[in-house]
Amino acid sequence: DQQVKQNSPSLSVQEGRISILNCDYTNSMFDYFLWYKKYPAEGPTFLISISSIKDKNEDGRFTVFLNKSAKHLSLHIVPSQPGDSAVYFCAAIQGAQKLVFGQGTRLTINP
Amino acid sequence: EPEVTQTPSHQVTQMGQEVILRCVPISNHLYFYWYRQILGQKVEFLVSFYNNEISEKSEIFDDQFSVERPDGSNFTLKIRSTKLEDSAMYFCASTERTRNEKLFFGSGTQLSVL
């Protein structure tokens, strides 16, 4: 079951540059998408979300873009900071059902 | 900031033993969940719980698993007879509303079945 896929297991970005994390999904019934961030030994924490009726949502340094026709979403972090180093999970929900997570992308911000 | 609390942080058990993982959700939240993450794999939904009953469960959540909210504050996951493949990080989560977009997760319990 690969309804939500993050094809890049890791990403390394220079501090101050833009980090772009990608996510693809297969279920066209998903109507809400989220990004979670996870540090070692901690649970995932909610970062940002987007409804399927929108194509962009911005919160400070974080912007999520949704391309419904391509079934693709991305998270942009700009400028990237060392504290952004973590594992980022894309997730999707349909109606009031459970979250379906991607495999995660480990982001490393290099000073 | 209120948080979801899970105990213990680590649990080691022998195959076939029963384990109970404990969680204290955020106090005004009404919807509760268990997720797990096997090492190197994705976070997987196990079960959701509302109004003292299971509202949804995954294929993973078979008869060996059960959940309970015994006293209005704790939310527990019991695995009756653990298997090696139950080794994982188990996350409890809670939300205020039915639409669980902003799940608040606990720090997890690392379960190791030997």
Side-chain angles (χ1 to χ4, degrees), chain B residues 19-30:
Chain B
V19 294
I20 297 177
L21 309 183
R22 302 181 192 279
C23 170
V24 179
I26 294 172
S27 61
N28 64 330
H29 285 186
L30 301 175

Side-chain angles (χ1 to χ4, degrees), chain A:
Chain A
D1 179 359
Q2 292 281 311
Q3 293 193 77
V4 178
K5 287 188 284 188
Q6 293 174 256
N7 292 317
S8 298
S10 63
L11 176 67
S12 189
V13 174
Q14 204 72 24
E15 182 180 358
R17 299 289 189 103
I18 184 170
S19 296
I20 300 176
L21 297 107
N22 294 302
C23 178
D24 298 295
Y25 62 96
T26 56
N27 188 341
S28 57
M29 298 302 291
F30 287 143
D31 57 3
Y32 212 86
F33 302 90
L34 310 91
W35 285 92
Y36 277 79
K37 177 179 177 180
K38 185 181 180 304
Y39 292 117
E42 294 184 14
T45 53
F46 171 79
L47 194 57
I48 193 169
S49 62
I50 187 167
S51 165
S52 60
I53 62 173
K54 295 186 174 181
D55 55 19
K56 177 183 175 180
N57 187 27
E58 192 171 352
D59 183 4
R61 296 185 298 114
F62 302 92
T63 303
V64 56
F65 294 92
L66 175 63
N67 182 334
K68 282 185 66 179
S69 61
K71 294 192 178 68
H72 177 83
L73 66 155
S74 60
L75 174 68
H76 292 209
I77 307 173
V78 56
S80 301
Q81 300 173 354
D84 295 330
S85 294
V87 178
Y88 288 78
F89 291 98
C90 170
I93 57 176
Q94 173 189 342
Q97 295 178 19
K98 61 187 183 291
L99 285 176
V100 179
F101 284 89
Q103 305 95 314
T105 297
R106 181 177 301 279
L107 176 65
T108 303
I109 305 301
N110 301 308

Side-chain angles (χ1 to χ4, degrees), chain A residues 32 34 36 43 95 98-99, chain B residues 35 42 45 99-101 103 106:
Chain A
Y32 212 86
L34 310 91
Y36 277 79
K98 61 187 183 291
L99 285 176
Chain B
Y35 284 77
K42 60 172 64 179
F45 169 81
R99 195 170 170 77
N100 61 358
E101 64 265 23
L103 258 66

Side-chain angles (χ1 to χ4, degrees), chain B residues 68-85:
Chain B
E68 194 176 38
R69 189 158 160 80
D71 57 12
S73 62
N74 290 286
F75 179 52
T76 62
L77 173 69
K78 182 192 293 185
I79 308 175
R80 193 169 305 121
S81 177
T82 50
K83 303 187 285 287
L84 295 176
E85 53 265 37

